[in-house]
Amino acid sequence: AAYFVARFNASLVFLLQVVGRVVELTWLYSPLVPLLLLAKVADSLGLPVCAARRERLQITWVDRWWEVTLRKVQRSGPVFVKLGQWAATRPDLIPEDICHNLGRLHDATEPHTLEHTHKVLREAFREPWFRTFLIEPESIGSGCIAQVYRGRMFIPSSTSSSAKPTATTGLVKLGTRLQRLCAGCSGSTGTQCIQVAVKVVHPQVRRAVQVD
């Protein structure tokens, strides 16, 4: 009996998650239809988006509508981004102008905040993560599932020649000062600094993929 109760509770929780996801997606995408109609009317009337940018880049209200739509697709989760990326590669099934706009999903997606990155690193490492490595504040790339940071990792070295990190960038200099303040290993002998890539998953990705 306990097994069936547990299965029922799990099914009920999943059903509530699906209902919540439907409400969330409806709230995200329902304004797009009237906004598209308004954008087409504004373009037909010749209303300028921004006089300077319009003359230089030929931006229309429909272009601005696509910017809003792509941001909503990115916020919908990796499943929707992947569907948009796939649709962008099928001009045989979808109009070419739609494929062109959806193709912008291949370039980059909206990154999450640095505060979320620090939160994930704190949860992933028992000891303070900045005692082992440092990351740059700006990400070098953001995909639909995660984003990547350039960083420096400090590891023990048996040779004295590699004891000190090469201070070729401001990042290493900052890391050295910070590690000394935090009683880390970067300012001590017997350590070396190597370049690493740190990949951090976007918030709510697991939940969105599971429900979608």
Side-chain angles (χ1 to χ4, degrees):
Y3 171 77
F4 291 105
V5 171
R7 288 291 300 272
F8 174 78
N9 290 336
S11 300
L12 181 61
V13 170
F14 182 74
L15 178 61
L16 293 176
Q17 290 177 341
V18 172
V19 172
R21 183 63 169 162
V22 171
V23 173
E24 178 185 3
L25 294 176
T26 303
W27 178 80
L28 273 175
Y29 290 100
S30 57
L32 292 179
V33 175
L35 286 177
L36 178 60
L37 296 177
L38 292 175
K40 289 183 175 296
V41 171
D43 285 340
S44 63
L45 295 177
L47 299 179
V49 178
C50 179
R53 294 183 63 194
R54 184 181 176 88
E55 293 176 0
R56 184 172 68 254
L57 301 176
Q58 296 297 321
I59 293 178
T60 64
W61 284 103
V62 173
D63 294 332
R64 297 302 299 271
W65 179 87
W66 271 109
E67 293 177 4
V68 174
T69 300
L70 294 179
R71 283 199 297 268
K72 289 182 178 293
V73 171
Q74 293 172 6
R75 294 175 183 173
S76 300
V79 173
F80 286 82
V81 174
K82 289 297 183 182
L83 286 174
Q85 292 175 346
W86 171 83
T89 63
R90 299 305 305 267
D92 55 325
L93 301 176
I94 301 173
E96 188 174 352
D97 59 332
I98 297 179
C99 292
H100 173 73
N101 285 286
L102 291 177
R104 286 186 276 175
L105 293 172
H106 289 284
D107 299 333
T109 57
E110 185 177 0
H112 60 251
T113 62
L114 185 61
E115 287 76 11
H116 173 74
T117 296
H118 289 170
K119 178 177 179 292
V120 171
L121 293 176
R122 285 195 302 267
E123 294 174 352
F125 297 92
R126 294 182 179 178
E127 62 181 15
W129 57 271
F130 47 79
R131 293 174 182 260
T132 306
F133 62 89
L134 296 173
I135 61 172
E136 293 184 350
E138 297 292 335
S139 62
I140 59 177
S142 178
C144 61
I145 295 179
Q147 64 191 47
V148 181
Y149 293 88
R150 182 183 290 109
R152 300 272 178 166
M153 176 175 287
F154 303 97
I155 60 176
S157 175
S158 58
T159 61
S160 59
S161 62
S162 60
K164 295 182 179 180
T166 57
T168 56
T169 64
L171 174 64
V172 179
K173 295 179 181 178
L174 175 62
T176 302
R177 299 190 186 100
L178 181 58
Q179 293 290 342
R180 287 174 179 172
L181 291 175
C182 299
C185 64
S186 63
S188 61
T189 59
T191 60
Q192 64 176 343
C193 178
I194 60 173
Q195 293 185 357
V196 295
V198 181
K199 194 170 187 178
V200 182
V201 177
H202 293 312
Q204 305 297 330
V205 165
R206 186 185 299 274
R207 177 190 66 86
V209 171
Q210 181 181 6
V211 176
D212 292 342

